[in-house]
Each structure stands twice: as structure tokens, then as C-alpha cells.
Amino acid sequence: MKIALVGNQNSGKTTLFNLLTGTNQKIGNWPGVTIERKTGIIKYLNCELIDLPGIYSLSPYTMEEEISRKYIIQEKPDIIINIVDSTSLERSLYLTTQLMELNIKVIIVLNMVDRLEKKGIYIDKDKLSKEIGTDVVEISALKNTGIDELINIIKNCNIKSYEKEIFESNIENEIIKVRIKYNVNRFEAIKILESDKLYSKYQTQDIKKLREYLETTYKMDTEELFASKRYEFIGRLKEKVTNVKPAEENISDKLDKIFLNKIVAFPIFIVIMFLVYYLSVGVVGSSSTDFVTNLIDKFGQTTRMFLLQSGASNWIVSLVVDGIITGVGAVLGFVPQLIILFLCISILETTGYMSRITFLLDKFFRKFGLSGEAIIPFIVGLGCSVPGIMIARVIKEEKEREAAIILTPFIPCSAKLPIIAMFSGYFFGDKSGLVSASLYFLAIAIILISAFFIKKFFTKGMGTSFVSELPEYKLPSLKYIVKDVSDKVKEFVKRAGTIILTCSIIVWFLLSFSWKLEYAVNIENSILASIGKTISFVFYPILGTFSWEAAVSAIQGLVAKEQVISSMNIIAGLGKDLSSSLSIFNSETFSFFTKPSAYAFMAFNLFSAPCFGAIGAMKRELGSTKKTLKAIAFQITLAWILASIIFNVGTFISNL
Ligand code: GDP
Ligand code: MG
């Protein structure tokens, strides 16, 4: 037996599908398109279940509609399970009125009943069942209630296939005429009257006359007529079977009056984001970082002394202190700032404010072809682009999802924070919080503008998905926050101990040896320098000088963004003693940096291709090497152009 799950987007099809089939699933794509095709076997019943794409009607306007319609009409499933979001009957039942015309058994599943009470909605399901003449089950796919009853109904299967008449008699008469003439079912008869493109061969003079009769009687074209008559039917039905008493205004509603207020919501959002950056990069952040950096420096000096006294050879001392401790320490120094950043984000998430941001930005994002949903990968991307790219799966609309995957790496992730913190801390002093926040807003601007162009030139016809229901505000749970923050910090520290450690050793090696493998050569003759010198011209428009040191450091951002700082530290610090990471700008090597070139260099590192980890995630989620390469080329080009503009305009202005 074949059963099809049919319903609107976000009605809970996939949730129910997973409940019914467990791990017995086969996932693939529909032929020729990237829309996911999931089939499975219902446990105990031995029925095949298919999760059809979410649709609002059976017209062939979208790819989803076309796929679902083709499947239903050609494969003729034995039973259609029509999932209805019980909290928005009106929107959902439109599809139901069409499914009831197909002469296929339909079971109506009212999903999300767990949310009805809160909304003050009561649905008389027995009455609904009587009115539309088929079985109705109330379930919550999320909370796993009512599923047994649904399985029983499928098992006993005493539902009849039927075609329900829902229009007034003179319309029904026309439908009957078409059915008799062509021996078609009710669905097809209506489609013929609507002059649906799939039934063009039936468009004879007789049909045209029937259509003209309806159009002159009702003064609208037939497609519109049937749609409006369906809604009339649904309106009457809803009146009969539902009872709504307005829910009382709770604290969440009151808070939303402020946080979602037309006038103050946006300023509040900006102030909150600014505070987050001010706390983590500004005051609290930089003083705690200085403290930790000092500790690491002391540790380095002590280690050097200890090693020298115990008779270790020069190169070992240099490797351990100038390579490993300097490189890894440069990254670890930023842990305090990250803890504060993660803490802020975690609080925003658990209190429910983050969902408000989604909601708030929805309308704004829509102007650029994204929905509020796209903010989720961006916010997760604040921690790390990899989970950000992966969570883009929450975006239902395929093209929008691709756009979000390409754009998420533009968000300043935690690994980029050290770059931002170091440059803005040194060059912009007490304005460092402002400068960091400005990069954040620059990222949003770049993302929106890019989305606009991606939509215009790359993924034509990109649709957007809906932001669903907002959760209640909650007091943050300490246990959750502690776990969330410590997980993220652990991940960051782990990277310092693995990737950064390895890279630091490699950089130290390339810097300490010449091509002839002579040790302790003049830096200028090192392998790293010769590599850097061949590519340093690329960075000339961004830095205003040829600096192989900055060039090789930026390139290492590909491995991990923190490595940019590690590398600069190692290069600047080799053979010198540094008291704090900021003093690298006092070193001869990097003293050429000015405010404009510092900002430009930050921007380049922020927007250029992400690290290999994120590139890998992009490739997995985009599912294509070609698309990934295109995306990376786009990111690098954009970063380079933007940074060059920032440097040149900035320099021009500061010279005025
Ligand atoms: P689909 O687009 O129809 O496949 O819908 P999904 O199964 O992906 O569900 C969409 C959203 O609704 C998800 O966030 C689900 O967690 C949520 N959802 C699904 N069923 C229920 C339910 O019974 N109650 C509630 N409150 N949420 C649900
Ligand atoms: Mg789904």
C-alpha cells in the first residue's frame, strides 16, 4: 500500500514522517531537481510512505506543486494523509478542498494541537469529520500524541474514496456537464473549466461556452471563481467547527510590544548588538586579554630560561618559545573575549530574543530577497561558520538556502575576532568597540547587497520561506548557558592545540630555514619570505606597501583565521621579546600599518574565502564543487575590491 503525506510547508510533514518511519528511510532527489524525496516504510503496517514537498494548492505554478501534483495524479497513492496546521485552518484547508476531489481516500490530520490551547482555539473534530465526510485525527507530531489513533485509522482503513461537492448548484451543474462529456473526475473537470495548461486538449467550443456562462454570471474568471468559492466554503466550515476565545495577554506579549515595536525595536536591536561587541571587544575584553597575554608571555620567558638552563639546543628553545608558545598563545589570549561573546549570544538565544531578531529582520531582509529565517545561520555563524553553514538547512527554500550558505562566511566568526580585536584595539583605542561593531554592520550590509545580486544574477526566481511562531520569553537557564559557552570555548581551545599548533610549527620552520635548509638565517632569506615576496604585490592596493609578512599571514587565514594573528606574532617576535600581542605593531615588521590599512586588512580577512573547515562545509551543503569554487572566487574578489577601496578612500580622507 502506498500512502502520501500532503500538506503546506511547515505543517509538520517531515516531523510526522520521521515519527512514522523511524530509521526506515530512503532519501534522494526528485528526478531533475534538487528537491528532497523521502520515502520510508511505516513500522508494523508495511505501507510505503512518501513525504511530498510542501504545497498550498494543486496548481502547477511552483516546482513543488508540480512534483506533488504529478505524484498524486499519476502514482495514485492508496491513501493521502493531509496534514493540516490546526492553528491556521484557513490557509491549510484550501489544499484540502482540492484533495477531496481526486477520488482518493483522504485522512485529515490536524497537527500542532499542542498549540491550540494557548491560542484559545477549540476545534470540534467530530463535526469537522462529518462536514467534510472523512476521518479526522488530532495529533502533535512534535509531542508525539495521537499517533496511535492515526495508525489505527490507517490499519482499519474504512475510509471511502469520494469527491465532495462544496459549491452552489449552478456551479456544480457545470462541473457535472464536463464530467459527463469527458468522463473525468471532479478534479479534472474543474481544471478543465479553469483552462489549466495540462488540460488544454479539452478546450473545445462547448467548454468555452460553459466557462463564459460562469464568467458572466460571477463577473470573474473561472480560476478566481473556484478559488473564491473554496474560501467561502472554508469560511462557513470554520465558523461551524471552531470556537475561538482570545487568549489573555501574557508577559511575552507585553515584552513583544516593546521589542517588536515598530519604532523602537530596531534601535534596541542595534544597541544590544553594539553592547555585545562593546563588552567582548571593548573594555572588558581587551583588559582581560592583556592579562592573559601577559601570563602567556611570562610563561614563555620562564620556559626559555628553563630550557636554556637544562641545556637544550638553540633551535629547540626557538621552536618551543618563538614557534609554539608565541603562535598558540596569540590565539589563546583571546579566550576571555570569546567567553564574553559566547555568553552574550547564549543569553540572547535562550531568553528568546534571538527569535525576535529573526522576526524583526524578516520584513527588512525580504527587500533583499532573503527571509528572516536566513538570520539563523548568520547568528550561529558568529561562533563558527561551519555550524552556521550547516544550520542553513532550516531554510526551506532551496535557492535562499544556497545564498545563505555562500553568505554565512562573511559573518565575523569567533576565529576572526582576534584579528578584529587586535587591530581595532591597537589602532582605534577607546573606539575599538565602535570599530568592531562597525565591521559587524558592514558584514550585514555586504550580505544584504550580495543577496540582492545573487538573487538577481545567479539564482533567478529565488523564493523565501516564512518565519513561524515566536517562542515565549524565558529566563535564561544557567545550566544551559554554562554548557553552551564551555562547549564553544573548548572547541576553540582544541583548535589552538591542533590546527594552530601545527601551523605555528610550520610557520616557525619556514621562517627559520632557508631553501638550502640552513638554520637561523636572516628572516629576509627564509623560505616564508621568498613565498611571501612573490605574492605580496596582491596586497599592495590594500596595504600601500609590499609586505611579504602580511601577505603570508593573510594567506594562512585559509587554514584558520586565528592563524593570521599567530603568524604575525611569530614573524614579528622571532628573536625578540614581546610583552603583549599588541606590541607587534611596534615591531619594525608591522610598523607600516596605518588606520586605513589596518581597517582594510581586517576587512580583507573578514570577507575573503573562509578557512578550509568552512570551505569543506560549503562544499558539502552546496553539493557541488563548481558552485563552491564560484562562491570562493566571489568571496575573494569581493574582499579584495572592498579592502582596496577602504584603504584608498581611507588614506585619501586622512590626508586631507
Ligand atoms: P514540513 O515543512 O511540513 O516538513 O514541516 P516540518 O516537519 O519540518 O515542521 C516544521 C516546524 O513545525 C518544525 O519546527 C517542527 O518542529 C514544528 N512542528 C511540527 N509538528 C509540530 C507540532 O505538532 N507541534 C508544534 N508545536 N510544532 C510542530
Ligand atoms: Mg519537510
Side-chain angles (χ1 to χ4, degrees), residues 87 126 216 222 464:
T87 61
D126 295 329
T216 44
T222 42
T464 46

Side-chain angles (χ1 to χ4, degrees), residues 6-18 51-54 83 85-87 110-115 139-145 394 396 468-469:
V6 185
N8 296 167
Q9 272 179 28
N10 284 328
S11 56
K13 290 178 303 300
T14 305
T15 314
L16 178 63
F17 178 85
N18 291 340
D51 184 11
L52 290 178
I83 301 211
D85 175 351
S86 58
T87 61
L110 293 176
N111 190 26
M112 314 216 185
V113 292
D114 55 300
R115 283 167 47 193
I139 70 159
S140 164
L142 191 71
K143 304 260 155 82
N144 195 355
T145 59
V394 298
K396 305 275 174 340
S468 43
E469 164 110 342

